[in-house]
């Protein structure tokens, strides 16, 4: 059902009430130290607006809500107009990427400037309907794990690494911090035609994925602009439900939300939880 990214289909129901995961000692979204910039990914001539503190405030609200849900959630929010990026407490927590790896691979392949019309068709399928067979074809054709290694080097990703089993692209490891960096690279560094190709494919994603799963959850459920959803169960006894992308038509805000709840919580509850935090994040940004 989920191609190579999952050992089994996601459960539809599960018991509520997983104990909160031990939180790593990471950046707190509202603390001054949690606000940084992607200066190495910005054009030197780009004009900056004055910092507003909005990303940090939104991230703090998301962290607070995730705590109330007992939901181990990584969040990173970027304001491209000011260069501010706020990291939640688990923003740098390594997590399985599920289908978020499709965005990483798309950026890497397009940056190599060697994709064929057939590849572009497969990329649209992988990004929009989240077609696992299309991703399988691209993964096999262009070196599999080496795509992730090259992308991490190109975009200066910190937690992203290839899967332990080379064929399981859904087991690529990444973080909320790194996914925000991927979208920032896409928006600020790539040629306009390639940038728009990826964003348009994501924006055109249907509610129902190629494998039949409803992928209109998280940021997609609150009408964000160009979002990739990710879902997978039950590697390491967890259900992985992610949502990352551009949330407004002006392409100002990037939000990355990655979750790793116990599989006992159930896929349905995990989706409900990420829907709630997505609504909180977008409301604070609009």
């Amino acid at each position: 059902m989920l191609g190579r990214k999952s050992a089994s289909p996601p459960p539809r129901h599960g018991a509520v009430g997983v104990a909160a995961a031990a939180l790593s000692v990471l950046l707190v979204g509202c603390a001054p130290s949690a606000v940084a910039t992607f200066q190495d990914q910005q054009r030197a001539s780009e004009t900056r607006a004055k910092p507003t503190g909005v990303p940090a405030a939104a991230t703090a609200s998301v962290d607070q809500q995730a705590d109330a849900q007992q939901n181990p959630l990584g969040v990173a929010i970027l304001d491209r107009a000011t260069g501010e990026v706020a990291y939640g407490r688990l923003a740098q927590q390594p997590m399985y990427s599920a289908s978020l790896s499709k965005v990483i691979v798309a950026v890497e392949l397009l940056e190599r400037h060697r994709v064929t019309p057939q590849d572009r068709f497969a990329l649209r399928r992988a990004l929009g309907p989240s077609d696992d067979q299309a991703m399988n074809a691209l993964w096999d054709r262009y070196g599999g794990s080496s795509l992730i290694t090259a992308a991490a080097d190109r975009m200066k990703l910190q937690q992203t690494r290839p899967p332990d089993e080379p064929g399981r692209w859904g087991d690529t490891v990444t973080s909320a911090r790194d996914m925000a960096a991927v979208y920032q690279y896409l928006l600020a560094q790539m040629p306009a035609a390639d940038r728009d190709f990826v964003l348009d494919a994501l924006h055109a994603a249907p509610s129902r994925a190629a494998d039949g799963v409803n992928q209109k959850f998280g940021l997609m459920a609150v009408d964000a602009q160009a979002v990739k959803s990710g879902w997978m169960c039950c590697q390491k006894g967890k259900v992985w439900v992610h949502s990352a992308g551009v949330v407004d038509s002006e392409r100002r805000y990037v939000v990355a939300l990655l979750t790793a709840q116990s599989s006992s919580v159930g896929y349905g509850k995990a989706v409900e939880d990420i829907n709630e935090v997505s609504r909180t994040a977008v409301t604070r940004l609009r």
Side-chain angles (χ1 to χ4, degrees):
M1 178 177 176
L2 297 180
R4 302 182 191 173
K5 70 183 176 185
S6 176
S8 61
R12 295 296 176 180
H13 301 284
V16 178
V18 59
L23 298 180
S24 302
V25 182
L26 296 173
L27 298 173
V28 179
C30 58
S33 62
V35 180
T37 61
F38 284 109
Q39 295 297 337
D40 60 330
Q41 297 180 347
Q42 294 296 320
R43 295 184 176 88
S45 61
E46 188 173 355
T47 302
R48 289 289 184 204
K50 292 182 179 179
T52 63
V54 170
T59 298
S61 294
V62 168
D63 263 346
Q64 184 179 24
Q65 188 169 33
D67 286 348
Q69 296 171 340
Q70 298 186 338
N71 180 6
L73 177 144
V75 54
I77 298 178
L78 166 67
D79 181 347
R80 298 185 62 250
T82 66
E84 297 169 89
V85 58
Y87 298 145
R89 287 189 294 275
L90 294 182
Q92 299 182 68
Q93 178 70 38
M95 299 189 190
Y96 281 150
S97 68
S99 283
L100 295 187
S101 59
K102 294 170 181 173
V103 181
I104 300 173
V105 167
V107 171
E108 176 59 27
L109 286 179
L110 290 167
E111 282 291 78
R112 295 182 183 186
H113 305 296
R114 291 186 299 178
V115 296
T116 67
Q118 179 185 6
D119 295 333
R120 286 185 175 271
F121 176 80
L123 284 170
R124 287 192 193 94
R125 291 289 303 170
L127 292 170
S130 203
D131 189 331
D132 292 344
Q133 297 307 312
M135 178 65 168
N136 290 344
L138 293 166
W139 186 261
D140 292 342
R141 187 177 303 141
Y142 288 104
S145 293
S146 66
L147 288 165
I148 303 300
T149 302
D153 181 66
R154 184 188 300 275
M155 293 182 275
K156 299 180 175 62
L157 307 180
Q158 296 179 2
Q159 287 80 44
T160 300
R161 60 175 174 79
D164 291 335
E165 295 183 37
R168 297 181 63 83
W169 46 261
D171 291 357
T172 294
V173 173
T174 190
S175 66
R177 181 268 171 207
D178 280 2
M179 288 310 303
V182 169
Y183 276 92
Q184 171 60 357
Y185 185 95
L186 167 67
L187 290 160
Q189 298 294 327
M190 294 185 71
D194 290 340
R195 176 199 66 209
D196 292 344
F197 171 83
V198 173
L199 295 177
D200 290 347
L202 293 172
H203 184 64
S207 297
R208 190 72 56 179
D211 63 3
V213 171
N214 181 4
Q215 65 175 345
K216 192 173 182 180
F217 60 79
L219 297 168
M220 280 185 69
V222 290
D223 297 322
Q225 288 294 304
V227 174
K228 186 73 197 78
S229 300
W231 59 95
M232 190 167 70
C233 190
C234 298
Q235 282 79 344
K236 295 190 175 181
K238 296 185 183 298
V239 55
W240 312 82
V241 179
H242 312 318
S243 186
V246 182
V247 303
D248 60 307
S249 59
E250 291 77 23
R251 300 177 178 175
R252 174 171 181 170
Y253 293 111
V254 169
V255 176
L257 301 165
L258 278 67
T259 72
Q261 298 210 59
S262 169
S263 57
S264 64
V265 170
Y267 181 75
K269 178 61 164 60
V271 167
E272 289 177 9
D273 286 349
I274 201 170
N275 285 349
E276 290 179 6
V277 296
S278 295
R279 191 172 299 108
T280 294
V282 172
T283 299
R284 299 293 187 274
L285 296 173
R286 288 178 176 169

